[in-house]
Amino acid sequence: MSMLRLYTRVLQLLGKEARLGWILAVANLLLAGAQFAEPVLFGKIVDVLSGKPQAGPLAANSAWPLLAAWVAFGLFTIACSALVALHADRLAHRQRQAVLTDYFEHIMQLPLTFHTGTHSGRLMKVMLNGTDALWRLWLGFFREHFAAILSLVVLLPLAFYINWRLAVLLFVLCVVFTILTTLVVRKTYGMQSEVEAHYSDLSARASDALGNVALVQSFVRIDAEVQGLRFVADKLLAVQMPVLGWWALVTVITRASTTITVLAIFTVGIYLHGKGQTTVGEIVMFVSFATMLIQKLEQVVSFINNVFMEAPRLQEFFDVLDAVPAVRDRPNAMDTGRLSGLVEFNDVSFSYDGKRPAVEDVTFTALPGQTIALVGPTGAGKSTAIALLHRAFDPQSGIIKIDGMDIRGLKLTALRRNIGVVFQEALLFNRSLADNLRVGKPDATEEEMRTAASRAQALEFIERSDKQFETQAGERGRMLSGGERQRLSIARALLKDPPILILDEATSALDAVTEAKVNAALDEVMKGRTTFVIAHRLSTIRNATRILVFDNGRVIESGTFDELVAKGGRFAELAKAQFMVHENARAAIEAK
């Protein structure tokens, strides 16, 4: 994306603030015109005081009217500048928060495949850096940069109108600045993109280490992680320094140009004055023009430098913002309210990479109230099939129906409101236990939470805490044990009370005693709702209505526990292997 297109998009993100943006633009135009009154009036006053005859629209025989006009323009400039600065600040702050919220909503809607391949630390860095860059550019644009650009547009024609011979010097200065700035931008643009890539690496590495601090400490890797971070930081500095050097060169040349241009104007002015082609007032006026031009050019260079430095961050921001959710509502999607739970898979196939199918030609029907277990080795397609049910992805072929309706015709919120999920890894917010429970039912009362927690065998450990339901779970629930986290996630699903329930190894983190209690609670909860159980331990699905055995994305066997064992196929082998483990363990205990 070119710099111009990038900056155009920055302004397009003003959204509802665009009207105020136009008002500020007009105010900047008035400011640009008013700022030139000072040098013009200054020159005219010098000519009046030197006795030079006046001509033109500002002709005067006394300096007082010119001085009064100077004061009026000065007061207008001060008042207008203050109002522009105030409203530019408010606009930039309001819109930054609006864009940040929109960005957050957007990334939360992106598919799991996107989040799987993108580090959460990088997404946070892109969100914060991108919105901060937008804020700085909006603020700078409306407070000074736009006025500076307009000032150049006004200054050069005005200078040529007053004295084209002296104006040529100002024009040459602008051309030199333009060429120099263009060369520096082209020289350093790729370097700055590399700098931003190192910033992303730095953020991701630090976030990765902090997110696994227990691993870092237990394996005595603190020094190694610090050294790794320092290595990335050193590479970042090695790329950043040349960029800073080039822009420092621009700053030095800018400052030197002030002296050179003023001397050139005096030299040419004295020569022209000797020939009667200019006045002392005009010389003074053009010296002021030159000083003002240098100031405005510095602001324009600062503006270009800011856009240039922010460009890689904004490019990353827009790349994420432009990512299209693979799963989204159709224009005519419906919200049917609570569903009964009739689930049908008809020849469903899905592949992550378009080459090897993760799920292939899966067909089955689950009646309301039935419990369907999915078993098979890791990577067989069990979790993918269930992910398709709540539209984490959409199948490439086939159709999934609930209550006879294609789930792609339902609104995502309506579909997922009817499905409760207990993940293998208990996912908890760094908030209170009550907040975590209310994820599925925001308006749940404390009594309802207490009932759900009791049925999930979680009420006991909640009541042990002084703050009870207001106890903080910690980051990713680390203030709780693995079993407590899982019981809390089960209580969360119970509180939601969905017609369809998904249990992804829901009891895997529980001890034997608690697992037995939770299984008894789940047996009760599963009554009257369609339940899908993903299981590796076959003892947990002994009473399932039907068991689907997956292998390489296909359902290779289907039936009840006893039917599949009697068949002597793949499931029977799995059952025999697990039961042999138990028999060997029991024999070893008895031998002792």
Side-chain angles (χ1 to χ4, degrees):
M1 188 180 294
S2 68
M3 299 280 282
L4 182 59
R5 285 183 57 203
L6 186 71
Y7 198 73
T8 300
R9 186 159 186 192
V10 168
L11 295 180
Q12 288 174 343
L13 279 180
L14 286 172
K16 292 186 294 185
E17 300 288 347
R19 182 173 176 273
L20 177 57
W22 280 108
I23 294 173
L24 291 175
V26 173
N28 274 292
L29 180 60
L30 296 176
L31 273 174
Q35 287 173 350
F36 293 107
E38 180 178 337
V40 172
L41 291 170
F42 185 25
K44 293 295 182 180
I45 289 173
V46 170
D47 281 340
V48 169
L49 294 178
S50 64
K52 179 73 177 177
Q54 296 291 299
L58 293 177
N61 296 321
S62 171
W64 293 110
L66 297 173
L67 187 61
W70 192 343
V71 171
F73 275 110
L75 291 175
F76 170 79
T77 301
I78 293 170
C80 191
S81 297
L83 288 173
V84 166
L86 174 64
H87 288 288
D89 281 1
R90 292 179 175 179
L91 178 151
H93 280 85
R94 282 197 302 264
Q95 199 58 20
R96 175 174 62 173
Q97 302 307 324
V99 172
L100 186 147
T101 305
D102 290 343
Y103 174 93
F104 181 75
E105 180 181 9
H106 174 73
I107 60 175
M108 293 299 289
Q109 292 174 341
L110 291 175
L112 293 178
T113 49
F114 176 87
H115 290 279
T116 301
T118 308
H119 198 284
S120 58
R122 176 182 177 273
L123 288 176
M124 286 294 297
K125 176 254 183 189
V126 169
M127 178 176 72
L128 297 177
N129 284 359
T131 51
D132 282 349
L134 289 169
W135 172 75
R136 285 190 291 268
L137 290 179
W138 288 329
L139 194 61
F141 182 78
F142 288 115
R143 289 186 67 171
E144 57 181 27
H145 295 147
F146 189 50
I149 294 170
L150 289 175
S151 295
L152 294 178
V153 175
V154 174
L155 186 149
L156 290 176
L158 178 62
F160 273 98
Y161 172 76
I162 295 172
N163 191 313
W164 67 268
R165 296 173 181 85
L166 293 175
V168 168
L169 296 173
L170 301 181
F171 179 75
V172 170
L173 180 63
C174 288
V175 171
V176 171
F177 257 86
T178 302
I179 294 173
L180 178 64
T181 305
T182 302
L183 288 175
V184 172
V185 167
R186 288 183 176 179
K187 182 72 176 177
T188 55
Y189 185 77
M191 298 163 65
Q192 186 61 31
S193 297
E194 190 175 352
V195 168
E196 200 56 36
H198 286 308
Y199 269 117
S200 295
D201 291 343
L202 192 72
S203 176
R205 190 177 185 94
S207 177
D208 202 30
L210 289 172
N212 294 282
V213 66
L215 175 67
V216 171
Q217 292 180 353
S218 63
F219 280 81
V220 197
R221 282 195 54 85
I222 294 177
D223 289 341
E225 292 299 322
V226 171
Q227 287 297 330
L229 193 69
R230 185 176 289 118
F231 177 71
V232 175
D234 289 342
K235 288 200 299 183
L236 187 156
L237 287 174
V239 179
Q240 181 75 82
M241 291 307 176
V243 178
L244 299 178
W246 278 102
W247 285 102
L249 176 63
V250 174
T251 303
V252 170
I253 295 176
T254 301
R255 299 296 165 82
S257 300
T258 304
T259 303
I260 296 171
T261 305
V262 171
L263 286 173
I265 288 174
F266 270 121
T267 302
V268 176
I270 291 171
Y271 171 77
L272 293 175
H273 183 266
K275 298 182 68 173
Q277 294 178 339
T278 189
T279 66
V280 175
E282 285 183 354
I283 295 174
V284 173
M285 189 188 305
F286 270 83
V287 169
S288 298
F289 278 167
T291 304
M292 183 177 290
L293 179 63
I294 294 294
Q295 179 188 2
K296 300 305 178 185
L297 285 173
E298 284 182 335
Q299 290 179 353
V300 171
V301 169
S302 173
F303 160 69
I304 295 172
N305 187 20
N306 288 343
V307 175
F308 164 77
M309 297 293 282
E310 306 290 8
R313 297 169 192 157
L314 291 170
Q315 187 64 64
E316 279 192 314
F317 182 83
F318 289 134
D319 285 344
V320 176
L321 204 60
D322 291 339
V324 179
V327 177
R328 53 188 184 275
D329 286 335
R330 289 179 174 177
N332 58 347
M334 301 181 298
D335 185 348
T336 58
R338 187 177 177 86
L339 301 170
S340 62
L342 171 62
V343 177
E344 300 171 82
F345 275 61
N346 296 321
D347 295 322
V348 173
S349 296
F350 174 79
S351 172
Y352 291 101
D353 56 11
K355 299 176 182 178
R356 189 178 68 87
V359 169
E360 187 174 9
D361 298 330
V362 173
T363 299
F364 67 86
T365 299
L367 300 177
Q370 288 188 337
T371 298
I372 307 298
L374 291 78
V375 302
T378 301
K382 309 181 298 296
S383 296
T384 300
I386 296 303
L388 293 170
L389 176 60
H390 58 86
R391 291 197 71 194
F393 324 101
D394 278 335
Q396 275 98 24
S397 64
I399 188 172
I400 302 173
K401 296 181 180 180
I402 297 182
D403 292 358
M405 297 176 289
D406 186 342
I407 61 173
R408 289 170 293 192
L410 302 175
K411 288 186 176 180
L412 276 170
T413 52
L415 171 67
R416 292 170 181 172
R417 198 181 299 124
N418 281 277
I419 299 175
V421 184
V422 180
F423 299 97
Q424 184 174 6
E425 177 188 359
L427 305 175
L428 300 177
F429 292 114
N430 185 18
R431 302 169 192 171
S432 69
L433 302 185
D435 287 338
N436 276 286
L437 287 171
R438 288 193 175 107
V439 166
K441 189 178 182 182
D443 58 347
T445 64
E446 184 172 340
E447 185 58 35
E448 289 174 323
M449 290 191 294
R450 188 175 295 275
T451 300
S454 176
R455 295 172 69 185
Q457 308 296 318
L459 187 60
E460 179 184 355
F461 76 80
I462 293 175
E463 291 185 332
R464 281 203 306 264
S465 173
D466 293 337
K467 295 184 179 180
Q468 298 195 5
F469 284 96
E470 295 306 313
T471 302
Q472 293 296 309
E475 185 179 2
R476 298 183 181 179
R478 287 176 179 168
M479 298 298 291
L480 307 175
S481 69
E484 289 171 344
R485 288 197 296 269
Q486 197 67 302
R487 280 180 278 171
L488 196 67
S489 65
I490 292 171
R492 180 171 59 195
L494 298 178
L495 191 62
K496 185 178 181 179
D497 190 28
I500 300 172
L501 186 65
I502 297 172
L503 306 177
D504 187 354
E505 286 288 339
T507 60
S508 62
L510 307 181
D511 58 78
V513 175
T514 306
E515 179 184 359
K517 294 179 180 179
V518 172
N519 279 333
L522 289 176
D523 287 341
E524 178 186 347
V525 171
M526 289 188 291
K527 292 177 182 176
R529 75 183 81 233
T530 309
T531 305
F532 295 90
V533 182
I534 300 174
H536 289 98
R537 287 187 291 181
L538 304 185
S539 59
T540 62
I541 56 170
R542 187 69 178 79
N543 298 320
T545 308
R546 193 186 325 160
I547 299 170
L548 305 177
V549 183
F550 277 75
D551 188 37
N552 291 324
R554 290 178 172 272
V555 177
I556 58 173
E557 293 179 358
S558 175
T560 64
F561 191 97
D562 293 335
E563 288 172 351
L564 293 175
V565 170
K567 186 184 292 186
R570 182 69 60 84
F571 182 83
E573 293 177 3
L574 293 173
K576 183 179 180 182
Q578 291 194 17
F579 293 153
M580 284 177 65
V581 169
H582 295 315
E583 291 172 2
N584 292 340
R586 190 181 303 112
I589 293 172
E590 292 175 353
K592 292 181 179 179

